[in-house]
Amino acid sequence: MNMDLTVIYVILCVLQSDSEISTIEVSSTRNRNKPFQGKGYIMNRRGPLFAILMSFTLLLSGCSSLTVLDPKGPAARTLSDTIIFSILMMVGILVVVYALYIFMLTKYRARKSNEGYEPPHEEGSKWLEILWTAIPIVIVAILSVVTVKTTVAVENVPAGYEDQKPLVIYASSSNWKWHFSYPEEGIETVNYVNIPTNRPIEFNLYSFGTISSFWIPQLHGQKYAMSDMITKLNMVAEESASMMGRNANFNGEGFAHMEFEALSMPPAEFEKWVKDVKETAPPLTEEEFNKLLDTAHVGRMSFSNHHLDFSPPPEEGHHHGGSSNEDHEEHQEHYPDPSTTEESELDSETNVNPNEPLPNSPAEESPAHEHDGH
């Protein structure tokens, strides 16, 4: 909230300074020997600018704090620190730029004491050229180093938790919902996920349909979930809290509804919850799972088993073939890819199958030279 108001105030100050400059009327003479003459007036626009500022203040008064700046785990804290560092660097750059801007306007403005003054002709300054070329390079280098270090840190298991056994959760998306499978606990949930505090969590992400982006802002950054591979996300929740997770990738009409609750709780409460789900939740059958994939929007659901038994996930990394991938593709047929046989506007021939390997030479296009996919 305070950051938003600060940004708005800076923007309004810039607009005010620009409006003051643009309203100066200048009359000049064609005689080069006659000094520059001009008269100006400044329109009083403080009233409208103040009204705009107050309007933004009222509109933003209902905004909640940014969740990315309210971390509940080490990975999110690292990302938050990087964001704040980048903002402070940009604010520092703006302060220097606008300080120089005000200094130049004040020192070199036209006034009676310098009437008739003509500045000497300058070809350029080698040191100034070096200075304003080196400064951006230094700024980009600093931000690059910080970004690379942050990326490496959040991709690994958070420091201090490397020796603990992670809780593995398979998070799969289907339009427009999230399935959370706990293979070790033998349960599954839909549109909500419970995790223990102070224990590393390993999310294995994949999709039954279009590419989604798994994101719990208070625990980690986003990562894509795709249909033919698994991506991993390591995180730790150090506080008990109810957090909102969502799909951060626009992938269709139901994108806005792909939200879920991530609830972190003490380990004892987590074990109690798992036991309760096993005892009270209904089992998940393959037929019901297929029906669930076909249903566009559902609420929170719990099951006493998981779909990994009859619909295993794709293998880690890129995968072309194999029994687990074939089982996954069988359930993925509920959301087939766009047809590859319809005619294109730009081609006289039909589109080829993207899953078919490309021939090394025209001679290999014959059936006698077909090869299995690698």
Side-chain angles (χ1 to χ4, degrees):
M1 175 63 186
N2 295 332
M3 186 183 305
D4 294 335
L5 292 180
T6 303
V7 173
I8 293 171
Y9 178 74
V10 172
I11 293 174
L12 293 179
C13 289
V14 175
L15 292 175
Q16 185 176 13
S17 63
D18 289 344
S19 64
E20 291 175 354
I21 296 173
S22 62
T23 54
I24 298 178
E25 293 184 351
V26 179
S27 61
S28 62
T29 177
R30 295 183 179 180
N31 188 353
R32 295 183 58 186
N33 296 325
K34 189 174 182 180
F36 173 82
Q37 294 179 352
K39 66 175 183 177
Y41 66 91
I42 298 176
M43 298 177 62
N44 186 1
R45 296 191 177 184
R46 293 180 180 176
L49 290 173
F50 180 76
I52 294 174
L53 178 61
M54 291 304 298
S55 300
F56 276 110
T57 303
L58 294 175
L59 290 173
L60 294 174
S61 60
C63 294
S64 60
S65 59
L66 294 174
T67 54
V68 293
L69 300 181
D70 183 24
K72 303 297 183 184
R77 190 174 299 110
T78 300
L79 294 172
S80 176
D81 293 342
T82 302
I83 293 173
I84 294 174
F85 175 79
S86 302
I87 291 175
L88 291 178
M89 278 205 67
M90 289 184 284
V91 170
I93 294 169
L94 285 175
V95 169
V96 173
V97 170
Y98 283 113
L100 292 174
Y101 176 67
I102 295 172
F103 172 76
M104 295 298 178
L105 288 181
T106 304
K107 182 175 178 60
Y108 297 105
R109 71 183 186 275
R111 52 191 174 209
K112 293 182 178 179
S113 59
N114 61 6
E115 288 184 0
Y117 170 75
E118 290 187 8
H121 179 70
E122 295 283 353
E123 290 292 341
S125 173
K126 178 180 67 176
W127 295 110
L128 283 178
E129 293 284 352
I130 295 175
L131 182 64
W132 61 52
T133 302
I135 290 177
I137 294 176
V138 172
I139 293 172
V140 172
I142 293 174
L143 292 176
S144 299
V145 171
V146 172
T147 301
V148 170
K149 291 180 64 176
T150 298
T151 303
V152 173
V154 299
E155 282 296 318
N156 299 322
V157 177
Y161 295 91
E162 300 91 346
D163 298 333
Q164 295 189 32
K165 181 181 179 181
L167 171 64
V168 178
I169 302 176
Y170 283 82
S172 55
S173 64
S174 65
N175 47 333
W176 311 99
K177 54 195 161 303
W178 291 95
H179 311 259
F180 297 97
S181 305
Y182 298 74
E184 296 180 3
E185 288 71 21
I187 62 174
E188 181 163 327
T189 62
V190 178
N191 288 337
Y192 82 98
V193 59
N194 290 352
I195 58 176
T197 56
N198 299 309
R199 180 182 176 183
I201 311 297
E202 180 186 293
F203 279 102
N204 293 332
L205 312 175
Y206 65 99
S207 173
F208 282 99
T210 58
I211 296 178
S212 304
S213 179
F214 183 83
W215 188 30
I216 307 177
Q218 292 178 281
L219 291 181
H220 209 290
Q222 67 87 24
K223 182 166 280 192
Y224 289 114
M226 293 166 277
S227 61
D228 65 341
M229 63 180 293
I230 282 183
T231 53
K232 293 182 179 293
L233 201 59
N234 297 294
M235 63 181 68
V236 174
E238 295 182 330
E239 302 177 25
S240 297
S242 175
M243 297 157 285
M244 182 62 67
R246 59 177 58 88
N247 172 22
N249 180 54
F250 180 78
N251 57 357
E253 60 181 357
F255 149 79
H257 301 287
M258 289 188 68
E259 295 183 342
F260 60 91
E261 181 190 17
L263 182 63
S264 58
M265 58 184 69
E269 291 186 17
F270 176 76
E271 295 296 334
K272 181 180 178 181
W273 169 77
V274 171
K275 182 180 179 181
D276 182 65
V277 171
K278 284 184 176 181
E279 294 176 352
T280 61
L284 178 63
T285 63
E286 185 172 3
E287 180 181 357
E288 186 174 358
F289 179 68
N290 292 335
K291 183 179 178 181
L292 184 61
L293 291 179
D294 286 331
T295 306
H297 302 287
V298 299
R300 294 161 59 112
M301 305 176 71
S302 302
F303 300 98
S304 57
N305 63 328
H306 51 73
H307 73 264
L308 302 179
D309 293 332
F310 48 80
S311 177
E315 294 185 1
E316 296 182 13
H318 292 283
H319 187 71
H320 303 281
S323 59
S324 64
N325 196 63
E326 291 174 359
D327 292 337
H328 176 71
E329 289 179 351
E330 182 178 337
H331 288 87
Q332 189 186 347
E333 290 177 358
H334 290 271
Y335 310 100
D337 294 330
S339 174
T340 58
T341 58
E342 66 177 353
E343 192 135 351
S344 170
E345 291 181 334
L346 303 178
D347 298 332
S348 59
E349 299 180 359
T350 56
N351 296 330
V352 298
N353 188 343
N355 296 322
E356 184 179 350
L358 294 175
N360 294 327
S361 65
E364 293 184 4
E365 294 181 2
S366 62
H369 293 82
E370 289 182 355
H371 297 276
D372 293 334
H374 55 282

